[in-house]
Amino acid sequence: MVAGHANLLLFVFNMLPAPPLDGSHILANFSRPFARFLQDPKNHGAHMLMFFASWGLTFAIMPRLLQVATRVAGWVVTVGL
């Protein structure tokens, strides 16, 4: 159970829209201004700022997101039986 929680935590963290994480690539597919922002090399400093700002957001909402992800995973497992 601990490994499952850790896996869900890493999934949710990886989906944050901070530039080094995968969530930023997904958001760039839906937002042209954000995609241009990621392609501009002058914004690398801004990327780091966004990344560290996302840490505060992560610790603020992570417990709730983990709880929702655990419920969804539990529902998928029980319905799939």
Side-chain angles (χ1 to χ4, degrees):
M1 190 66 163
V2 173
H5 280 263
N7 194 14
L8 285 172
L9 182 70
L10 290 172
F11 167 75
V12 170
F13 177 75
N14 196 32
M15 288 297 116
L16 290 175
L21 303 175
D22 290 335
S24 65
H25 301 293
I26 293 171
L27 182 61
N29 287 330
F30 295 107
S31 171
R32 286 191 189 272
F34 190 73
R36 283 192 298 268
F37 174 77
L38 290 178
Q39 292 175 351
D40 190 6
K42 295 182 293 186
N43 290 327
H44 290 300
H47 288 176
M48 292 304 292
L49 180 64
M50 286 176 52
F51 178 73
F52 288 118
S54 69
W55 275 98
L57 179 66
T58 299
F59 290 116
I61 64 171
M62 189 58 71
R64 180 69 179 142
L65 288 176
L66 185 59
Q67 183 182 25
V68 170
T70 303
R71 285 184 182 175
V72 169
W75 179 80
V76 168
V77 169
T78 58
V79 170
L81 293 177

